């Protein structure tokens, strides 16, 4: 039994004519007649009788008609669901911490949308550890995160994109403002801003503080760049910012490198236990290529100090 045979049969019943059914489906009358005959032979049932040159359903034919309607309605609903599923596959969901998105992702999105206008990018602002968990739970296709040592133990693939230097940013009147570099131990007892709980930066520096037995005062937890800038300008506080983000900050602020340079490994993670769609793979390839171009441009810029 084929779906098309059922469609021809139902159309013949509804239109009360083989010829009208053939016209409806733009096929020959013998094609419709053969389809009905094949159904009768397959199920050993007589579906129609002819009375006064008109077709009439047999009792078996009436029951078969109801069953055929049920099947065709189910097929139609399935087609609708699959069509919606197909449309959803043209959307890539990506989790991005706001601070990383500030310097790396706007360029990436702009270039990607120019070459892939049919693919919808759904961006979720999420700290690294939360975005990582959402990839594990298959709530996101990808996440752009800073690599944590714990990631290698988890069921994800990590695609390296860039190593980004972390610098200390202070207001121009801060006592560190004229320093050429700072040491992590200089921050003992100082007021500092950490990114929100669940961020790589928050986790990393808390580990650094513990390892070096230093106790800075936490002034604020926030990943909101505008708020951080205002706090830095008006208070004797310091914040840990990616170098590329720091280069875009207000001129009232000063970026100071660490004597022992600190870097964050930034990359894409995706769930390796689930099927990775072709469009997601292509996005990853695109991101790797464009980030490589970005790094080459930075190296070529005379104002960029390559660590």
């Amino acid at each position: 039994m084929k779906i098309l045979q059922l469609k021809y049969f139902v159309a013949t019943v509804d239109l009360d004519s083989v010829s009208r059914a053939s016209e409806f489906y733009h096929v020959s009358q013998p094609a419709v007649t053969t389809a009905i005959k094949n159904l009768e032979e397959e199920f050993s049932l007589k579906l129609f009788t002819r009375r006064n040159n008109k077709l009439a359903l047999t009792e078996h034919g009436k029951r078969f008609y109801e069953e055929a309607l049920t099947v065709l309605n189910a097929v139609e609903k399935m087609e609708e669901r699959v069509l919606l599923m197909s449309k959803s596959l043209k959307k890539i969901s990506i989790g991005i911490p706001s601070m990383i998105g500030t310097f790396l992702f706007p360029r990436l999105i702009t270039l990607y949308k120019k070459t892939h206008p049919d693919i919808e990018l759904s961006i979720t602002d999420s700290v690294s550890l939360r975005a990582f968990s959402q990839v594990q739970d298959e709530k996101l296709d990808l996440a752009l995160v800073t690599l944590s040592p714990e990631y290698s133990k988890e069921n994800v693939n990590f695609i390296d994109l860039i190593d980004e230097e972390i610098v200390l940013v202070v207001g121009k009147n801060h006592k560190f403002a004229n320093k050429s570099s700072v040491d992590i131990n200089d921050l003992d007892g100082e007021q500092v801003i950490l990114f929100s709980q669940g961020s790589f930066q928050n986790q990393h520096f808390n580990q650094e503080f513990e390892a070096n037995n230093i106790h800075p005062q936490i002034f604020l937890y926030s990943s909101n760049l505008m708020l951080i800038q205002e706090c830095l300008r008006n208070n004797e506080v310091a914040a840990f910012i990616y170098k590329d983000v720091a280069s875009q900050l207000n001129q009232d602020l000063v970026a100071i490198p660490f004597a022992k340079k600190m870097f964050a490994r930034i990359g894409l993670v995706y769930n390796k236990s689930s099927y990775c769609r072709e469009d997601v793979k292509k996005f990853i390839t695109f991101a790797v290529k464009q980030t490589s171009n970005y790094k080459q441009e930075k190296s070529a810029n005379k104002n960029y100090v390559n660590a």
Side-chain angles (χ1 to χ4, degrees):
M1 181 181 68
K2 298 178 180 177
I3 297 299
L4 194 57
Q5 291 174 328
L6 295 180
K7 287 183 177 180
Y8 289 169
F9 168 73
V10 168
T12 300
V13 176
D14 290 345
L15 299 173
D16 199 28
S17 167
V18 169
S19 62
R20 284 195 287 268
S22 66
E23 288 173 5
F24 182 80
Y25 279 107
H26 305 288
V27 296
S28 66
Q29 288 188 39
V32 176
T33 302
T34 299
I36 294 172
K37 182 180 178 182
N38 289 341
L39 286 172
E40 290 180 323
E41 290 178 351
E42 181 177 351
F43 295 105
S44 299
L45 295 173
K46 189 171 181 60
L47 302 176
F48 288 104
T49 60
R50 186 173 288 278
R51 297 174 184 170
N52 300 323
N53 293 323
K54 287 187 177 181
L55 289 175
L57 284 172
T58 64
E59 287 303 315
H60 286 145
K62 291 176 182 178
R63 291 170 62 184
F64 191 87
Y65 175 74
E66 295 299 327
E67 295 292 343
L69 285 180
T70 300
V71 170
L72 292 178
N73 286 333
V75 169
E76 184 179 354
K77 290 178 180 178
M78 176 185 173
E79 288 173 343
E80 291 173 356
R81 290 194 298 270
V82 172
L83 183 60
L84 288 173
M85 191 188 310
S86 175
K87 289 180 179 178
S88 71
L89 291 179
K90 292 189 176 180
K91 179 172 76 173
I92 302 175
S93 56
I94 310 172
I96 306 173
S98 57
M99 199 63 70
I100 297 177
T102 301
F103 75 93
L104 184 59
F105 213 68
R107 164 196 174 104
L108 198 57
I109 287 181
T110 301
L111 293 173
Y112 184 80
K113 291 299 289 183
K114 283 181 179 178
T115 53
H116 301 79
D118 58 323
I119 303 295
E120 178 186 344
L121 296 180
S122 176
I123 308 302
T124 300
D125 185 353
S126 184
V127 293
S128 287
L129 299 179
R130 187 185 308 134
F132 172 75
S133 295
Q134 289 173 317
V135 168
Q136 282 187 301
D137 296 338
E138 299 183 33
K139 294 178 180 177
L140 292 173
D141 294 315
L142 296 167
L144 186 69
V145 299
T146 35
L147 179 63
S148 170
E150 287 79 7
Y151 290 1
S152 60
K153 304 173 187 176
E154 304 291 350
N155 196 28
V156 298
N157 282 327
F158 184 87
I159 309 297
D160 257 317
L161 292 180
I162 191 170
D163 287 345
E164 180 63 18
E165 185 178 352
I166 300 173
V167 295
L168 189 74
V169 177
V170 297
K172 64 180 181 180
N173 295 319
H174 194 281
K175 64 181 180 181
F176 291 165
N178 295 320
K179 280 179 167 283
S180 58
S181 66
V182 291
D183 188 273
I184 191 72
N185 292 299
D186 293 337
L187 298 173
D188 194 24
E190 299 294 329
Q191 294 191 95
V192 299
I193 296 173
L194 290 180
F195 289 175
S196 302
Q197 299 282 354
S199 69
F200 162 81
Q201 187 248 45
N202 181 297
Q203 180 189 63
H204 172 77
F205 278 99
N206 275 317
Q207 290 172 350
E208 285 284 334
F209 299 153
E210 184 177 353
N212 290 277
N213 195 29
I214 61 175
H215 304 88
Q217 301 175 40
I218 307 303
F219 180 83
L220 177 72
Y221 290 104
S222 177
S223 298
N224 185 306
L225 189 57
M226 291 185 63
L227 175 60
I228 292 173
Q229 288 186 87
E230 285 303 312
C231 291
L232 291 174
R233 276 203 296 267
N234 299 312
N235 298 276
E236 187 74 8
V237 297
F240 309 99
I241 307 288
Y242 297 119
K243 184 175 181 179
D244 278 3
V245 176
S247 66
Q248 303 171 26
L249 297 181
N250 191 289
Q251 292 182 350
D252 291 342
L253 304 177
V254 180
I256 311 163
F258 284 91
K260 182 181 178 181
K261 291 188 181 296
M262 294 188 183
F263 291 90
R265 286 179 63 200
I266 297 173
L268 288 166
V269 292
Y270 65 93
N271 192 319
K272 62 185 176 185
S273 66
S274 60
Y275 172 71
C276 186
R277 302 195 320 265
E278 197 61 33
D279 56 346
V280 175
K281 290 179 183 177
K282 289 180 179 179
F283 180 86
I284 293 171
T285 301
F286 181 88
V288 170
K289 180 180 178 181
Q290 293 302 324
T291 307
S292 177
N293 293 341
Y294 174 73
K295 289 188 285 187
Q296 289 175 13
E297 290 172 14
K298 287 207 313 180
S299 296
N301 186 341
K302 63 180 181 180
N303 295 319
Y304 177 74
V305 179
N306 193 354

